Amino acid sequence: MNLENAREDVIVAAAAAVSTIAVAVIGRVIPVADPGTVPSLAPIGVYLVYLFTRKGGPYTALDTVRNWSLLAIASALAALGYGVLG
């Protein structure tokens, strides 16, 4: 196992975990924004897709840790939007 790959995995996992916890906390504090169980787990789904699609190269220019982390955060915002609008 390459240490650089492990560091990248930890960064994306941390972004997904913090996003999931933020959705849960915001859903409890603001009951109007509660998206439910399955949409609130969307950032973890992004992390799982990240894990299962990164099986060795070559990677495109868009396949970066930053973009995967931003996608996890965007999925959390989408879940909150779903909770407010849905």
Side-chain angles (χ1 to χ4, degrees):
M1 172 175 226
N2 187 358
L3 189 59
E4 183 64 27
N5 291 341
R7 187 184 73 83
E8 291 176 354
D9 289 348
V10 168
I11 291 170
V12 177
V18 169
S19 298
T20 303
I21 292 169
V23 170
V25 169
I26 291 171
R28 293 288 182 191
V29 172
I30 305 171
V32 176
D34 188 17
T37 303
V38 174
S40 66
L41 296 176
I44 293 177
V46 170
Y47 176 65
L48 290 175
V49 170
Y50 166 80
L51 280 181
F52 291 121
T53 59
R54 307 253 321 172
K55 295 292 183 186
Y59 303 120
T60 64
L62 294 175
D63 191 14
T64 63
V65 173
R66 179 184 55 106
N67 289 345
W68 281 105
S69 299
L70 290 175
L71 184 61
I73 294 167
S75 69
L77 293 175
L80 287 173
Y82 175 76
V84 170
L85 300 175

Coordinates of all heavy atoms in Angstrom, one line a residue:
M1 N 0.8 -1.2 0.0 CA 0.0 0.0 0.0 C 0.9 1.2 0.0 O 1.8 1.3 0.8 CB -0.9 0.0 1.2 CG -1.7 1.3 1.4 SD -2.8 1.1 2.8 CE -4.2 1.8 2.0
N2 N 0.6 2.1 -0.9 CA 1.3 3.4 -1.0 C 0.8 4.4 0.0 O -0.4 4.6 0.2 CB 1.1 3.9 -2.4 CG 2.0 5.1 -2.7 OD1 2.7 5.6 -1.8 ND2 1.9 5.6 -3.9
L3 N 1.7 5.0 0.7 CA 1.3 6.0 1.8 C 0.6 7.2 1.2 O -0.4 7.7 1.8 CB 2.5 6.5 2.5 CG 2.3 7.3 3.8 CD1 1.4 6.5 4.8 CD2 3.6 7.7 4.4
E4 N 0.9 7.6 0.0 CA 0.2 8.7 -0.7 C -1.2 8.4 -1.0 O -2.1 9.2 -0.8 CB 1.0 9.1 -2.0 CG 0.4 10.3 -2.7 CD 0.4 11.6 -1.9 OE1 1.4 11.7 -1.0 OE2 -0.4 12.5 -2.1
N5 N -1.5 7.1 -1.4 CA -2.8 6.7 -1.7 C -3.6 6.7 -0.4 O -4.8 7.0 -0.4 CB -2.9 5.4 -2.4 CG -2.4 5.4 -3.8 OD1 -2.3 6.5 -4.4 ND2 -2.0 4.3 -4.3
A6 N -3.0 6.2 0.7 CA -3.7 6.2 2.0 C -4.1 7.6 2.5 O -5.2 7.8 3.0 CB -2.8 5.5 3.0
R7 N -3.2 8.5 2.3 CA -3.4 9.9 2.6 C -4.6 10.5 1.9 O -5.5 11.1 2.4 CB -2.2 10.8 2.4 CG -2.3 12.2 2.9 CD -1.1 13.0 2.6 NE -1.0 13.4 1.2 CZ -1.7 14.4 0.7 NH1 -2.5 15.2 1.4 NH2 -1.6 14.7 -0.6
E8 N -4.7 10.2 0.6 CA -5.8 10.6 -0.3 C -7.1 10.0 0.2 O -8.1 10.7 0.2 CB -5.5 10.3 -1.7 CG -4.4 11.1 -2.3 CD -4.1 10.7 -3.8 OE1 -4.6 9.7 -4.3 OE2 -3.2 11.4 -4.4
D9 N -7.1 8.7 0.5 CA -8.3 8.1 1.0 C -8.8 8.7 2.3 O -10.0 8.9 2.5 CB -8.0 6.6 1.2 CG -7.8 5.8 -0.1 OD1 -8.1 6.4 -1.1 OD2 -7.4 4.6 0.0
V10 N -7.9 9.0 3.2 CA -8.2 9.6 4.5 C -8.9 11.0 4.2 O -9.8 11.4 4.9 CB -7.0 9.7 5.4 CG1 -7.3 10.6 6.6 CG2 -6.6 8.4 5.8
I11 N -8.3 11.8 3.3 CA -8.9 13.1 3.0 C -10.3 13.0 2.5 O -11.2 13.7 3.0 CB -8.0 13.9 2.0 CG1 -6.7 14.2 2.7 CG2 -8.7 15.1 1.5 CD1 -5.6 14.8 1.8
V12 N -10.6 12.1 1.5 CA -11.9 12.0 1.0 C -12.8 11.4 2.1 O -14.0 11.8 2.2 CB -11.9 11.1 -0.3 CG1 -13.3 10.9 -0.8 CG2 -11.0 11.8 -1.3
A13 N -12.4 10.4 2.8 CA -13.2 9.9 3.9 C -13.5 10.9 5.0 O -14.7 10.9 5.4 CB -12.4 8.7 4.6
A14 N -12.6 11.8 5.3 CA -12.9 12.8 6.3 C -13.9 13.8 5.7 O -14.8 14.2 6.5 CB -11.6 13.5 6.6
A15 N -13.8 14.2 4.5 CA -14.8 15.1 3.9 C -16.2 14.5 3.9 O -17.2 15.1 4.2 CB -14.4 15.5 2.5
A16 N -16.2 13.2 3.5 CA -17.5 12.5 3.5 C -18.1 12.3 4.9 O -19.3 12.5 5.1 CB -17.4 11.1 2.9
A17 N -17.3 12.0 5.9 CA -17.7 11.9 7.3 C -18.2 13.2 7.9 O -19.3 13.2 8.5 CB -16.6 11.3 8.1
V18 N -17.5 14.2 7.7 CA -17.9 15.5 8.2 C -19.1 16.0 7.5 O -20.0 16.6 8.2 CB -16.7 16.6 8.0 CG1 -17.2 18.0 8.3 CG2 -15.6 16.2 8.9
S19 N -19.3 15.8 6.2 CA -20.5 16.2 5.5 C -21.7 15.4 6.0 O -22.8 16.0 6.2 CB -20.3 15.9 4.0 OG -19.3 16.7 3.5
T20 N -21.5 14.1 6.2 CA -22.6 13.3 6.7 C -23.0 13.7 8.1 O -24.2 13.8 8.4 CB -22.2 11.8 6.7 OG1 -21.8 11.4 5.4 CG2 -23.4 10.9 7.2
I21 N -22.1 14.0 9.0 CA -22.4 14.5 10.3 C -23.1 15.8 10.3 O -24.0 16.1 11.1 CB -21.1 14.5 11.2 CG1 -20.6 13.0 11.4 CG2 -21.3 15.2 12.5 CD1 -19.3 12.9 12.1
A22 N -22.6 16.7 9.4 CA -23.2 18.0 9.3 C -24.7 17.9 8.9 O -25.5 18.6 9.4 CB -22.4 18.9 8.3
V23 N -25.0 17.0 7.9 CA -26.3 16.9 7.5 C -27.2 16.3 8.7 O -28.3 16.8 8.9 CB -26.4 15.9 6.3 CG1 -27.9 15.5 6.0 CG2 -25.8 16.5 5.1
A24 N -26.7 15.4 9.4 CA -27.4 14.9 10.6 C -27.7 15.9 11.6 O -28.8 16.1 12.2 CB -26.7 13.7 11.2
V25 N -26.6 16.7 11.9 CA -26.8 17.7 13.0 C -27.7 18.8 12.5 O -28.6 19.3 13.3 CB -25.4 18.3 13.4 CG1 -25.5 19.6 14.2 CG2 -24.6 17.2 14.1
I26 N -27.6 19.3 11.3 CA -28.4 20.4 10.8 C -29.9 19.9 10.7 O -30.8 20.6 11.0 CB -27.9 20.9 9.4 CG1 -26.6 21.6 9.6 CG2 -29.0 21.8 8.7 CD1 -25.9 22.0 8.4
G27 N -30.1 18.6 10.3 CA -31.4 18.0 10.3 C -32.1 18.0 11.6 O -33.3 18.1 11.8
R28 N -31.3 17.8 12.7 CA -31.8 17.7 14.0 C -32.1 19.1 14.6 O -33.1 19.4 15.3 CB -30.9 17.0 15.0 CG -30.7 15.6 14.7 CD -31.9 14.8 15.1 NE -31.7 13.4 14.9 CZ -32.7 12.5 14.9 NH1 -33.9 12.9 15.2 NH2 -32.4 11.3 14.7
V29 N -31.2 20.1 14.3 CA -31.3 21.4 14.8 C -32.5 22.2 14.0 O -33.2 22.9 14.7 CB -30.0 22.2 14.7 CG1 -30.2 23.7 15.0 CG2 -29.0 21.6 15.5
I30 N -32.5 22.0 12.7 CA -33.6 22.7 11.9 C -34.4 21.5 11.4 O -34.1 20.9 10.3 CB -32.9 23.5 10.8 CG1 -31.9 24.5 11.3 CG2 -34.0 24.2 10.0 CD1 -31.1 25.2 10.3
P31 N -35.5 21.2 12.0 CA -36.4 20.1 11.6 C -36.9 20.2 10.1 O -37.2 19.2 9.5 CB -37.5 20.1 12.6 CG -37.0 20.8 13.8 CD -36.1 21.8 13.2
V32 N -37.0 21.4 9.6 CA -37.5 21.6 8.3 C -36.5 21.1 7.3 O -36.9 20.6 6.2 CB -37.7 23.2 8.0 CG1 -38.1 23.4 6.6 CG2 -38.8 23.7 9.0
A33 N -35.2 21.1 7.6 CA -34.1 20.7 6.7 C -33.8 19.2 6.8 O -32.8 18.8 6.3 CB -32.9 21.5 6.9
D34 N -34.6 18.4 7.5 CA -34.3 17.0 7.7 C -34.6 16.2 6.4 O -35.8 16.0 6.1 CB -35.1 16.4 8.9 CG -34.7 15.0 9.2 OD1 -33.6 14.6 8.8 OD2 -35.4 14.3 9.9
P35 N -33.6 15.7 5.7 CA -33.8 15.0 4.5 C -34.3 13.5 4.6 O -34.7 12.9 3.7 CB -32.5 15.1 3.7 CG -31.5 15.1 4.8 CD -32.2 15.9 6.0
G36 N -34.1 13.0 5.8 CA -34.4 11.5 5.9 C -33.1 10.8 6.0 O -32.0 11.3 5.9
T37 N -33.2 9.5 6.2 CA -32.1 8.6 6.4 C -31.2 8.4 5.1 O -30.0 8.6 5.1 CB -32.5 7.3 6.9 OG1 -33.2 7.5 8.1 CG2 -31.3 6.4 7.2
V38 N -31.9 8.0 4.1 CA -31.1 7.6 2.9 C -30.4 8.8 2.2 O -29.2 8.8 1.9 CB -32.0 6.9 1.9 CG1 -31.3 6.6 0.6 CG2 -32.5 5.6 2.5
P39 N -31.1 10.0 2.0 CA -30.4 11.1 1.4 C -29.3 11.7 2.3 O -28.3 12.2 1.8 CB -31.5 12.2 1.2 CG -32.8 11.4 1.1 CD -32.6 10.2 2.1
S40 N -29.4 11.5 3.6 CA -28.4 12.0 4.5 C -27.1 11.2 4.4 O -26.0 11.7 4.8 CB -28.9 12.1 5.9 OG -29.1 10.8 6.4
L41 N -27.2 10.0 3.9 CA -26.0 9.1 3.7 C -25.3 9.3 2.3 O -24.4 8.6 2.0 CB -26.4 7.7 3.9 CG -26.9 7.3 5.3 CD1 -27.3 5.9 5.4 CD2 -25.8 7.6 6.3
A42 N -25.8 10.3 1.5 CA -25.2 10.5 0.2 C -23.7 10.8 0.2 O -23.0 10.2 -0.7 CB -26.0 11.7 -0.5
P43 N -23.1 11.5 1.1 CA -21.7 11.7 1.1 C -20.9 10.4 1.3 O -19.9 10.2 0.7 CB -21.4 12.7 2.3 CG -22.7 13.4 2.4 CD -23.8 12.4 2.1
I44 N -21.5 9.5 2.1 CA -20.8 8.2 2.3 C -20.9 7.4 1.0 O -19.9 6.7 0.6 CB -21.4 7.4 3.5 CG1 -21.1 8.2 4.7 CG2 -20.9 6.0 3.5 CD1 -21.7 7.6 6.0
G45 N -22.0 7.6 0.2 CA -22.1 6.9 -1.1 C -21.0 7.4 -2.0 O -20.5 6.7 -2.8
V46 N -20.8 8.7 -2.0 CA -19.7 9.3 -2.8 C -18.4 8.7 -2.5 O -17.6 8.4 -3.3 CB -19.7 10.9 -2.7 CG1 -18.4 11.4 -3.4 CG2 -20.9 11.5 -3.3
Y47 N -18.1 8.5 -1.2 CA -16.8 7.9 -0.8 C -16.7 6.5 -1.2 O -15.7 6.0 -1.7 CB -16.7 8.0 0.8 CG -15.5 7.3 1.3 CD1 -14.2 7.8 0.9 CD2 -15.6 6.2 2.0 CE1 -13.1 7.1 1.4 CE2 -14.4 5.5 2.5 CZ -13.2 6.0 2.2 OH -12.1 5.3 2.6
L48 N -17.8 5.7 -1.2 CA -17.8 4.4 -1.7 C -17.5 4.3 -3.2 O -16.8 3.4 -3.6 CB -19.1 3.7 -1.3 CG -19.3 3.4 0.2 CD1 -20.7 2.8 0.4 CD2 -18.2 2.4 0.7
V49 N -18.1 5.2 -3.9 CA -17.9 5.3 -5.4 C -16.4 5.6 -5.6 O -15.7 5.0 -6.5 CB -18.8 6.3 -6.1 CG1 -18.3 6.6 -7.5 CG2 -20.2 5.8 -6.0
Y50 N -15.9 6.5 -4.8 CA -14.4 6.9 -4.9 C -13.6 5.6 -4.7 O -12.6 5.4 -5.4 CB -14.1 8.0 -3.9 CG -12.6 8.2 -3.7 CD1 -11.9 8.9 -4.6 CD2 -12.0 7.6 -2.6 CE1 -10.5 9.1 -4.4 CE2 -10.6 7.8 -2.4 CZ -9.9 8.5 -3.3 OH -8.5 8.7 -3.1
L51 N -13.9 4.9 -3.6 CA -13.1 3.7 -3.3 C -13.1 2.6 -4.4 O -12.1 2.1 -4.8 CB -13.5 3.1 -2.0 CG -13.1 3.7 -0.7 CD1 -13.6 2.9 0.5 CD2 -11.6 3.8 -0.6
F52 N -14.3 2.4 -4.9 CA -14.4 1.3 -5.9 C -14.1 1.7 -7.3 O -13.9 0.8 -8.2 CB -15.9 0.7 -5.8 CG -16.2 0.0 -4.6 CD1 -17.2 0.4 -3.7 CD2 -15.4 -1.1 -4.2 CE1 -17.4 -0.3 -2.6 CE2 -15.6 -1.7 -3.0 CZ -16.7 -1.3 -2.2
T53 N -13.9 2.9 -7.6 CA -13.5 3.3 -8.9 C -12.0 3.6 -9.0 O -11.5 3.8 -10.1 CB -14.3 4.6 -9.4 OG1 -14.0 5.7 -8.5 CG2 -15.7 4.3 -9.5
R54 N -11.3 3.7 -7.9 CA -9.9 4.0 -7.9 C -9.0 2.7 -7.8 O -8.4 2.4 -6.8 CB -9.5 4.9 -6.8 CG -10.4 6.2 -6.8 CD -9.7 7.4 -7.2 NE -8.4 7.5 -6.7 CZ -7.6 8.5 -7.2 NH1 -8.1 9.4 -8.0 NH2 -6.4 8.6 -6.8
K55 N -9.0 1.9 -8.8 CA -8.3 0.6 -8.8 C -7.0 0.6 -9.5 O -6.5 -0.4 -9.9 CB -9.2 -0.5 -9.4 CG -10.4 -0.7 -8.6 CD -10.1 -1.3 -7.3 CE -11.4 -1.7 -6.6 NZ -11.2 -2.1 -5.3
G56 N -6.4 1.8 -9.7 CA -5.1 1.9 -10.4 C -5.4 2.8 -11.6 O -6.5 3.1 -12.0
G57 N -4.4 3.4 -12.2 CA -4.6 4.4 -13.2 C -5.1 3.9 -14.5 O -5.5 2.8 -14.6
P58 N -5.0 4.7 -15.6 CA -4.7 6.1 -15.5 C -5.9 6.9 -15.1 O -7.0 6.6 -15.4 CB -4.3 6.4 -17.0 CG -5.0 5.4 -17.8 CD -5.2 4.2 -16.9
Y59 N -5.7 8.0 -14.5 CA -6.8 8.9 -14.0 C -6.8 10.1 -14.9 O -5.8 10.6 -15.4 CB -6.6 9.3 -12.6 CG -6.4 8.1 -11.6 CD1 -5.3 7.9 -10.9 CD2 -7.5 7.2 -11.5 CE1 -5.2 6.8 -10.0 CE2 -7.4 6.1 -10.7 CZ -6.3 5.9 -9.9 OH -6.2 4.8 -9.1
T60 N -8.0 10.7 -15.0 CA -8.1 11.9 -15.8 C -7.8 13.1 -14.9 O -7.5 13.0 -13.7 CB -9.6 12.1 -16.3 OG1 -10.4 12.2 -15.2 CG2 -10.0 10.9 -17.1
A61 N -7.7 14.3 -15.5 CA -7.4 15.5 -14.8 C -8.5 15.9 -13.8 O -8.2 16.6 -12.8 CB -7.2 16.7 -15.8
L62 N -9.7 15.4 -14.0 CA -10.8 15.7 -13.0 C -10.8 14.7 -11.9 O -11.5 15.0 -10.9 CB -12.1 15.6 -13.8 CG -12.3 16.7 -14.8 CD1 -13.7 16.5 -15.5 CD2 -12.3 18.1 -14.2
D63 N -10.1 13.6 -11.9 CA -10.1 12.6 -10.9 C -9.1 13.0 -9.8 O -8.0 12.4 -9.8 CB -9.8 11.2 -11.5 CG -10.1 10.1 -10.5 OD1 -10.7 10.4 -9.5 OD2 -9.7 9.0 -10.8
T64 N -9.4 14.0 -9.0 CA -8.5 14.4 -8.0 C -9.2 14.3 -6.6 O -10.4 14.2 -6.5 CB -8.0 15.9 -8.2 OG1 -9.2 16.7 -8.1 CG2 -7.4 16.1 -9.5
V65 N -8.4 14.3 -5.6 CA -8.9 14.2 -4.2 C -9.8 15.4 -3.9 O -10.8 15.3 -3.3 CB -7.7 14.1 -3.2 CG1 -8.2 14.2 -1.8 CG2 -7.0 12.9 -3.4
R66 N -9.3 16.6 -4.4 CA -10.1 17.8 -4.2 C -11.5 17.7 -4.8 O -12.5 18.1 -4.2 CB -9.4 19.0 -4.8 CG -10.1 20.3 -4.6 CD -9.4 21.5 -5.3 NE -9.1 21.1 -6.7 CZ -9.8 21.7 -7.7 NH1 -10.7 22.6 -7.5 NH2 -9.5 21.3 -9.0
N67 N -11.6 17.2 -6.0 CA -12.9 17.1 -6.7 C -13.8 16.1 -6.0 O -15.0 16.3 -5.9 CB -12.7 16.7 -8.2 CG -12.1 17.9 -8.9 OD1 -12.1 19.0 -8.5 ND2 -11.6 17.6 -10.1
W68 N -13.2 15.0 -5.6 CA -14.0 14.0 -4.8 C -14.5 14.5 -3.5 O -15.7 14.3 -3.1 CB -13.2 12.7 -4.6 CG -13.2 11.8 -5.8 CD1 -12.1 11.6 -6.7 CD2 -14.2 11.0 -6.3 NE1 -12.4 10.8 -7.7 CE2 -13.7 10.4 -7.5 CE3 -15.5 10.7 -6.0 CZ2 -14.5 9.5 -8.3 CZ3 -16.3 9.9 -6.7 CH2 -15.7 9.2 -7.9
S69 N -13.7 15.3 -2.8 CA -14.1 15.9 -1.6 C -15.2 16.9 -1.8 O -16.2 17.0 -1.0 CB -12.9 16.6 -0.9 OG -11.9 15.6 -0.6
L70 N -15.0 17.7 -2.8 CA -16.1 18.7 -3.2 C -17.4 18.0 -3.6 O -18.5 18.5 -3.3 CB -15.6 19.6 -4.3 CG -14.5 20.6 -3.9 CD1 -14.0 21.4 -5.1 CD2 -15.0 21.6 -2.8
L71 N -17.3 16.9 -4.2 CA -18.5 16.1 -4.6 C -19.2 15.6 -3.4 O -20.4 15.6 -3.3 CB -18.1 15.0 -5.5 CG -19.3 14.2 -6.1 CD1 -20.2 15.1 -6.9 CD2 -18.8 13.0 -7.0
A72 N -18.5 15.2 -2.4 CA -19.1 14.7 -1.1 C -19.8 15.9 -0.4 O -20.9 15.7 0.1 CB -18.0 14.1 -0.2
I73 N -19.1 17.0 -0.4 CA -19.8 18.2 0.2 C -21.0 18.6 -0.6 O -22.0 19.0 0.0 CB -18.7 19.3 0.3 CG1 -17.6 18.9 1.3 CG2 -19.4 20.6 0.8 CD1 -16.4 19.8 1.3
A74 N -20.9 18.6 -1.9 CA -22.0 19.0 -2.7 C -23.2 18.0 -2.5 O -24.4 18.4 -2.6 CB -21.6 19.0 -4.2
S75 N -22.9 16.7 -2.3 CA -24.0 15.8 -2.1 C -24.7 16.0 -0.8 O -25.9 15.9 -0.6 CB -23.5 14.3 -2.2 OG -22.6 14.1 -1.1
A76 N -23.9 16.5 0.2 CA -24.5 16.9 1.5 C -25.4 18.1 1.3 O -26.5 18.2 1.9 CB -23.4 17.2 2.5
L77 N -25.0 19.1 0.6 CA -25.8 20.3 0.3 C -27.0 19.9 -0.5 O -28.1 20.4 -0.2 CB -25.0 21.3 -0.4 CG -23.8 21.9 0.4 CD1 -23.0 22.9 -0.5 CD2 -24.4 22.7 1.6
A78 N -26.9 19.0 -1.4 CA -28.1 18.5 -2.2 C -29.1 17.8 -1.2 O -30.3 17.9 -1.4 CB -27.6 17.6 -3.3
A79 N -28.6 17.0 -0.3 CA -29.4 16.3 0.7 C -30.2 17.3 1.5 O -31.4 17.2 1.8 CB -28.6 15.3 1.5
L80 N -29.5 18.4 2.0 CA -30.1 19.4 2.8 C -31.2 20.1 1.9 O -32.2 20.5 2.4 CB -29.1 20.4 3.3 CG -28.3 19.8 4.5 CD1 -27.2 20.8 4.8 CD2 -29.1 19.5 5.7
G81 N -30.8 20.4 0.7 CA -31.8 21.0 -0.2 C -33.0 20.2 -0.5 O -34.1 20.7 -0.5
Y82 N -32.8 18.9 -0.6 CA -33.9 17.9 -0.7 C -34.8 18.0 0.6 O -36.0 17.9 0.5 CB -33.4 16.5 -0.9 CG -34.4 15.5 -1.0 CD1 -35.3 15.3 -2.1 CD2 -34.6 14.6 0.1 CE1 -36.2 14.3 -2.1 CE2 -35.6 13.7 0.1 CZ -36.4 13.5 -1.0 OH -37.4 12.6 -1.0
G83 N -34.1 18.1 1.7 CA -34.9 18.1 3.0 C -35.7 19.4 3.1 O -36.8 19.4 3.6
V84 N -35.2 20.5 2.6 CA -35.9 21.8 2.7 C -37.0 21.8 1.6 O -38.2 22.2 1.9 CB -35.0 23.0 2.5 CG1 -35.7 24.3 2.3 CG2 -34.0 23.0 3.7
L85 N -36.7 21.4 0.4 CA -37.7 21.5 -0.7 C -38.6 20.3 -0.8 O -39.7 20.4 -1.4 CB -37.0 21.8 -2.0 CG -36.1 23.0 -2.0 CD1 -35.4 23.1 -3.4 CD2 -37.0 24.3 -1.8
G86 N -38.2 19.2 -0.3 CA -39.0 17.9 -0.5 C -40.0 17.6 0.4 O -40.5 18.0 1.3

